Amino acid sequence: MRSTVKNPVLLRFKTTPAQKPAVGGGKALTWSEYLAIRGSKRKWQLAVTIPCALIGFFGGATYFGSLETDPTRPIMGIDPFFFYGACTVACVGMGALIGPSIGVAAWRARHRNQLALVDAMDREFYRRIAKNRVDASLQSPTHPVPDYYGEKIGSLHQYRQWLRDQGKYKRKHTLPEE
């Protein structure tokens, strides 16, 4: 006996809607939600950077301030007070460099349940940024590319404005002026 259905797989494929599986098994993020989460991550980075820089300052000032100093003997040809001051400023800089990394780690620990969704949206966002941004070879010292990495994008309105700015810059620098 012959079946009236020629290929059940094709029949099923045609009758079921194509759905993308949600990353992480949960609901997918909208762009507005993603950009709000991205802003929250940046706030965590900033909130941790400031205390890290202050810890670097107080740690450097405490350490270098407690060292025995002979003002008649320069360190690497520099007055010891200036040298220790520069080392203290370097400690502040190290704290400011380490702070964002600690902030992101803390944010990721706090938002573990959303990581797969956010990471997928990050990849998509940066793919779109790379696709739509202006070629960096077009920039000059007096006319830099506007927001090359899309760091200032915090909402859909700002993303659309970023796209307009990129297009305007591209037209201005690739089309001949009349």
Side-chain angles (χ1 to χ4, degrees):
M1 183 167 239
R2 263 174 108 191
S3 171
T4 59
V5 177
K6 294 181 181 178
N7 190 345
V9 174
L10 288 178
L11 181 64
R12 179 169 170 89
F13 176 73
K14 290 180 182 177
T15 59
T16 57
Q19 295 178 353
K20 286 174 47 175
V23 178
K27 67 176 185 99
L29 290 174
T30 65
W31 283 107
S32 298
E33 292 171 336
Y34 166 70
L35 291 171
I37 288 171
R38 190 169 179 259
S40 144
K41 190 191 306 188
R42 287 183 62 122
K43 287 176 188 168
W44 276 65
Q45 286 178 315
L46 181 62
V48 174
T49 298
I50 294 169
C52 284
L54 290 173
I55 289 170
F57 171 73
F58 290 120
T62 301
Y63 176 74
F64 292 112
S66 68
L67 293 178
E68 287 283 329
T69 306
D70 183 9
T72 61
R73 301 185 71 202
I75 301 171
M76 293 191 291
I78 302 172
D79 182 69
F81 294 109
F82 288 118
F83 182 77
Y84 292 152
C87 289
T88 301
V89 170
C91 290
V92 172
M94 287 303 296
L97 286 174
I98 292 170
S101 299
I102 294 171
V104 166
W107 184 89
R108 290 178 73 84
R110 174 74 173 87
H111 296 90
R112 276 178 293 215
N113 57 346
Q114 295 178 329
L115 283 183
L117 293 170
V118 172
D119 288 343
M121 291 296 281
D122 272 341
R123 283 190 295 278
E124 177 64 19
F125 178 74
Y126 292 125
R127 186 190 63 75
R128 288 173 185 246
I129 293 294
K131 183 180 95 176
N132 293 314
R133 68 179 165 210
V134 177
D135 183 17
S137 65
L138 296 176
Q139 74 179 347
S140 66
T142 57
H143 296 288
V145 172
D147 194 16
Y148 186 74
Y149 296 104
E151 296 168 332
K152 297 175 185 163
I153 298 172
S155 67
L156 288 175
H157 175 74
Q158 290 172 339
Y159 177 68
R160 290 182 191 113
Q161 184 61 48
W162 180 85
L163 286 172
R164 285 191 292 272
D165 291 345
Q166 297 295 313
K168 185 175 164 184
Y169 189 92
K170 195 181 295 185
R171 283 189 303 277
K172 182 178 179 182
H173 289 284
T174 56
L175 296 175
E177 292 184 21
E178 296 179 33

